[in-house]
Amino acid sequence: MDKLIINGGTRLKGEVKISGAKNAALPLIAACLLTEGCTTLSNIPTLRDIITIIKLMEKLGVEVKGKDILKIDASQVRSYRAPYELVKTMRASILVLGPLLARMGRAKVSLPGGCAIGPRPVNLHLKALESMGATIKLERGYIVAECKKLRGTRVYFDLSTVTGTENIMMAATLAQGTTVLENAAKEPEVEELASALKKMGAHIEGAGTDVITIEGVAHVHPIEHTIMPDRIEAGTYMVAAGITQGDITLLNCNVTHLNALIEKLEEIGLKITEKNGNLRVVGTTPFKSTDVKTLPYPGFPTDMQAQIMTLLCLVEGSSIVTETIFKDRFMHVGELRRLGADIRVEGNTAIVNGVKKLYGAPVMATDLRASASLVLAGLVAEGVTEVSRVYHLDRGYERMEVKLSQLGADIQRVKE
Ligand code: EPZ
């Protein structure tokens, strides 16, 4: 296992290119199961999660070639079984359930376990598929789903679920009749999937709103598509500019996906200016404490909660961070405390009292975004911070230590 050694104190300056969005690429790769032919996806980020879903697609008999440009040929889907050993490493593997069932009439997908940020149930995915006529059984840790032909129906999601919305949108694409998703997730990644499915020949209206209507079609065809930039990676580098009081220009980011984040960071005191698709972020202090509450899009993204908490650790005064999406998404708090942060957790709320300094120490990553928050803390902590178990980071950040080094950070990756 690798670890990152960071010597804090450098103000980051320069330009960073934002990679393709992990959470857009994953459903789009799964969507290729719906087509009999070769789809080309460009701007694919080099991440562990992408490698995992490619392995899963190959297990199903899909041919995948390339790296940042993927050629995915699903002409021959030879299996409908997504094995535990792959699904347990990435919850998003559940995204093959809908397209497999729609394409093959059956699917056997391991139940994703919980993970560091909460139990992560998939009951809403299963309830929706059952309402479309699927028989769903749970057998020895596997979801066994069968349905000759899914039927369009009205689906109401009790909770806004991103992959739930994506899974059912893909399943409904080849269903008989019309499916209406109510209380659908509005994340940009959902919209991106819908626009790719429409390019494939699907009939979908309303993506990006909380009511999405899908009129089933008999077939969809392969396409060429370029993945949108990763709004969470962009947000992470924006916080890096703030916390190091640096000056970073983010290249190739979609500013319209960042409104809640820009609003909050400007409230704290960062100077953010946009120029033809690039975002310049300057972290001139003094910063002001503020409150943050995570919400479904277009609210403040839960995937940026750990990162902004790190920034607030160094802002004078008290800030309240409320996590409304996941039950246990405060695993980074204990590690930040090891660096000298003053944070108290009460239920789904963290009270962050600003301190003058953080001090380098060995810390351990527990989940993807928590590991990003520890790297951000290390960039500014006095002395050396060692972040272990960086495989969590590699799931969602492309060459983070390289990008940070190019911005002037004193950071290196070593074998643990
Ligand atoms: C997606 O996860 C993202 N992953 C997550 O990003 C992100 O944090 C999350 O959406 C929220 O924005 C991908 O897109 C691959 P949900 P997802 O279903 O779809 C509950 C990252 O860091 N729920 O929107 O799994 C669930 O427990 C990852 O890149 C049910 O109860 O999240 C949670 O409390 C982490 N039953 C809430 O809904 C269900 O059937 C929202 O979860 C489904 C969800």
Side-chain angles (χ1 to χ4, degrees):
M1 282 196 266
D2 294 357
K3 62 183 176 184
L4 295 178
I5 315 282
I6 311 163
N7 202 350
T10 316
R11 291 185 174 197
L12 300 190
K13 291 199 183 332
E15 294 184 340
V16 61
K17 184 180 173 305
I18 299 304
S19 303
K22 165 178 86 79
N23 291 349
L26 293 172
L28 277 167
I29 292 168
C32 294
L33 285 165
L34 297 170
T35 68
E36 297 177 29
C38 184
T39 286
T40 303
L41 297 178
S42 308
N43 197 30
I44 296 281
T46 307
L47 302 170
R48 280 168 55 95
D49 277 6
I50 299 294
I51 294 165
T52 302
I53 198 160
I54 290 174
K55 278 188 194 151
L56 177 52
M57 294 291 275
E58 289 172 334
K59 273 256 187 243
L60 300 173
V62 177
E63 213 177 277
V64 184
K65 288 199 181 77
K67 199 159 174 269
D68 57 342
I69 298 179
L70 285 182
K71 291 201 176 297
I72 304 170
D73 188 339
S75 309
Q76 307 289 333
V77 177
R78 280 191 291 276
S79 162
Y80 54 82
R81 186 175 178 277
Y84 173 66
E85 62 271 11
L86 278 176
V87 175
K88 73 178 177 186
T89 64
M90 185 184 68
R91 214 191 94 70
S93 308
I94 193 72
L95 283 166
V96 301
L97 176 61
L100 259 185
L101 190 54
R103 170 78 183 269
M104 306 285 281
R106 53 194 314 178
K108 188 171 180 183
V109 178
S110 167
L111 254 182
C115 70
I117 62 177
R120 309 294 295 277
V122 290
N123 58 309
L124 301 178
H125 301 235
L126 304 184
K127 185 178 153 206
L129 290 172
E130 277 180 329
S131 71
M132 296 174 76
T135 53
I136 306 266
K137 291 199 291 286
L138 298 185
E139 277 171 16
R140 304 167 70 81
Y142 278 80
I143 300 161
V144 181
E146 298 209 352
C147 185
K148 217 158 173 40
K149 185 80 176 165
L150 291 165
R151 280 189 324 275
T153 184
R154 177 186 160 280
V155 170
Y156 177 76
F157 288 114
D158 305 348
L159 276 170
S160 162
T161 162
V162 174
T163 50
T165 301
E166 291 167 344
N167 229 339
I168 304 311
M169 194 159 66
M170 290 189 281
T173 294
L174 297 183
Q176 190 71 40
T178 303
T179 303
V180 178
L181 307 183
E182 293 184 8
N183 195 24
K186 297 183 274 194
E187 272 68 5
E189 294 76 16
V190 173
E191 266 195 277
E192 170 101 340
L193 175 63
S195 67
L197 288 170
K198 285 163 83 170
K199 270 165 69 174
M200 289 179 175
H203 294 169
I204 301 175
E205 294 305 328
T209 75
D210 46 14
V211 180
I212 303 178
T213 304
I214 306 107
E215 207 185 300
V217 293
H219 291 286
V220 286
H221 54 77
I223 56 168
E224 298 193 354
H225 189 85
T226 300
I227 305 289
M228 68 184 218
D230 192 315
R231 60 193 171 97
I232 305 301
E233 185 194 25
T236 305
Y237 284 100
M238 291 167 75
V239 171
I243 204 165
T244 63
Q245 296 180 44
D247 180 346
I248 299 179
T249 297
L250 284 67
L251 305 179
N252 178 42
C253 61
N254 185 327
V255 183
T256 60
H257 296 161
L258 296 163
N259 293 336
L261 195 62
I262 290 171
E263 174 87 23
K264 198 44 78 175
L265 291 175
E266 284 181 332
E267 215 176 279
I268 293 171
L270 279 74
K271 302 281 175 288
I272 301 171
T273 46
E274 194 230 331
K275 222 167 87 192
N276 42 36
N278 300 331
L279 213 53
R280 185 178 174 195
V281 185
V282 182
T284 41
T285 49
F287 289 153
K288 207 165 67 55
S289 61
T290 183
D291 296 341
V292 176
K293 181 174 190 177
T294 66
L295 288 169
Y297 193 87
F300 188 91
T302 173
D303 291 350
M304 278 300 304
Q305 179 257 105
Q307 297 93 310
I308 202 161
M309 185 186 286
T310 304
L311 175 60
L312 292 169
C313 287
L314 288 162
V315 174
E316 195 182 341
S318 263
S319 301
I320 311 269
V321 178
T322 307
E323 171 59 57
T324 72
I325 308 291
F326 290 109
K327 289 186 177 49
D328 307 320
R329 205 171 198 172
F330 283 146
M331 301 291 281
H332 42 289
V333 170
E335 298 303 306
L336 289 171
R337 279 203 199 107
R338 287 180 47 71
L339 302 175
D342 175 359
I343 310 171
R344 193 175 77 250
V345 172
E346 285 174 11
N348 69 338
T349 298
I351 297 97
V352 184
N353 298 311
V355 293
K356 286 251 174 301
K357 263 180 189 278
L358 293 175
Y359 297 88
V363 287
M364 190 170 74
T366 52
D367 61 88
L368 168 53
R369 305 304 173 182
S371 47
S373 75
L374 299 177
V375 173
L376 291 169
L379 292 173
V380 70
E382 187 181 277
V384 176
T385 298
E386 288 190 5
V387 182
S388 61
R389 302 191 176 185
V390 287
Y391 59 84
H392 289 292
L393 196 75
D394 296 337
R395 292 190 51 184
Y397 288 93
E398 189 173 48
R399 302 176 304 121
M400 190 176 202
E401 74 278 5
V402 173
K403 292 188 179 185
L404 288 171
S405 302
Q406 285 165 352
L407 290 167
D410 178 350
I411 180 171
Q412 48 179 313
R413 178 188 283 258
V414 296
K415 289 270 167 252
E416 192 144 24

